[in-house]
Amino acid sequence: MSGALKDATIRVERPAKTLRELALDKVREAIVNGYFRPGDRLVERDLCAQLGVSRTVVREVLRHLESEGLVANLPNKGPIVALLDIEEAKQIYEIRGALEGMAARLCAERGSPEIVAALEESLTAIRNGYRDQDMAVVLANTSSFYQTLFTRVDRHVAWGVVNLLTVRINHLRSMTIKTERRGIEGPMQMSKIIDAIRRGDGEGAQRAAMDHVAAASAIAEAVLSAQKPAE
């Protein structure tokens, strides 16, 4: 028997997502998209019925989301959707501003038309998502926009750092993108980043990226200040 045939007979194919992974994706998406709001109680019995899974699966999902910072387990109350902390949010935006500003500057210095084209493609999809009121499309293509900024200039470590914060960033994003005029101002600010990159203006690209993050941070702070736990 040849080596290739032996390898083929013992190869382990990766199965499709487990029920737990599917349930985790659904609950995480429901939190990020605002179906469950900060302060809402997450009752195991209700989640079992809504998801069509066992209580064991629901408990595993809630524990995982607690490790991501999306769920808090309160004494005498049980699991709730975590209330986002203003100071924590500020630190997340500080990290974003520094890293995204750096990536935008490097993209401008690279002078690649392919980078500009990829960013414009994501921005077009973001605008279409706002037009269609499809926030899932907006979130997905916003992530794609920033992935392009980092990975096209080989800043994979920095992108990895951003990815560690992705769930919390998207939770914040899910609030800021729904605020008044964000569907107009957000894409305009992102367009300024692209324009500076197209011109090869590294300083301008860095400033535009940091200005965009600063605007999002100010909106998030206002939203979080007004946020109250559910009774």
Side-chain angles (χ1 to χ4, degrees), residues 161-180:
V161 171
V162 173
N163 267 332
L164 288 174
L165 297 170
T166 290
V167 173
R168 294 185 186 185
I169 287 171
N170 278 343
H171 198 186
L172 291 165
R173 241 179 225 146
S174 70
M175 297 186 303
T176 61
I177 65 176
K178 296 173 187 174
T179 56
E180 188 178 2

Side-chain angles (χ1 to χ4, degrees), residues 1-2 30-31 45 61 67-68 91 110 121 125 127 133 150-153 174 181 184 195 200 209 218 221 223 228-229:
M1 184 181 291
S2 71
I31 292 173
R45 180 183 61 254
V61 165
S67 74
E68 291 183 350
Q91 292 181 44
R110 179 68 59 92
E121 183 179 350
R127 285 187 167 121
Q133 295 295 298
F150 286 98
T151 60
R152 294 298 183 93
V153 290
S174 70
R181 291 190 58 78
I184 298 171
D195 289 343
E221 185 174 351
V223 172
K228 288 188 171 63

Side-chain angles (χ1 to χ4, degrees), residues 99-120 123 145-150 152-153 189-210:
L99 294 180
E100 290 168 17
M102 173 200 70
R105 175 175 53 79
L106 292 172
C107 283
E109 293 171 353
R110 179 68 59 92
S112 167
E114 289 78 15
I115 293 177
V116 172
L119 292 172
E120 286 182 330
L123 183 54
F145 182 95
Y146 289 110
Q147 183 176 10
T148 295
L149 279 184
F150 286 98
R152 294 298 183 93
V153 290
Q189 292 159 3
M190 296 169 88
S191 182
K192 289 180 179 179
I193 299 171
I194 297 175
D195 289 343
I197 292 173
R198 184 186 289 107
R199 295 193 308 269
D201 179 1
E203 184 178 344
Q206 182 171 14
R207 184 169 57 251
M210 295 183 72

Side-chain angles (χ1 to χ4, degrees), residues 36-50:
F36 295 128
R37 301 183 63 79
D40 283 355
R41 291 188 63 205
L42 297 170
V43 181
E44 288 182 5
R45 180 183 61 254
D46 295 344
L47 287 173
C48 289
Q50 290 172 304

